[in-house]
Amino acid sequence: MTPAPHEREIRSARFPHGLPDRCDDTVVEAFDDAWLLLERTPTGYRVLGVAEDYRSARAWLTADDEGAQP
């Protein structure tokens, strides 16, 4: 079962804890890699999958369909 949209989060697989700085090169680098598909739980986060690009990750994040697959 896919979590509800408000329980979903995506993060750069290269920088899962956030960007180390805000320079243009770092931002481009973050968008150029795989994306973690996460579910927020009461005790933290659970990795549900990995998207190959930002577009796929955003589609998963914003999907409200119960049949959405990571």
Side-chain angles (χ1 to χ4, degrees):
M1 183 172 148
T2 302
H6 66 277
E7 297 171 339
R8 297 177 193 167
E9 188 171 314
I10 60 174
R11 293 187 188 176
S12 165
R14 187 175 299 232
F15 302 112
H17 302 292
L19 300 176
D21 59 47
R22 297 289 180 182
C23 74
D24 290 343
D25 290 340
T26 302
V27 173
V28 169
E29 199 175 340
F31 277 80
D32 204 28
D33 208 356
W35 289 81
L36 300 175
L37 308 178
L38 306 169
E39 174 187 19
R40 274 190 305 262
T41 70
T43 59
Y45 289 91
R46 184 169 64 124
V47 177
L48 299 178
V50 178
E52 293 180 9
D53 55 34
Y54 179 73
R55 185 177 181 181
S56 299
R58 282 293 299 171
W60 175 81
L61 181 67
T62 59
D64 58 4
D65 179 10
E66 282 292 321
Q69 295 293 318

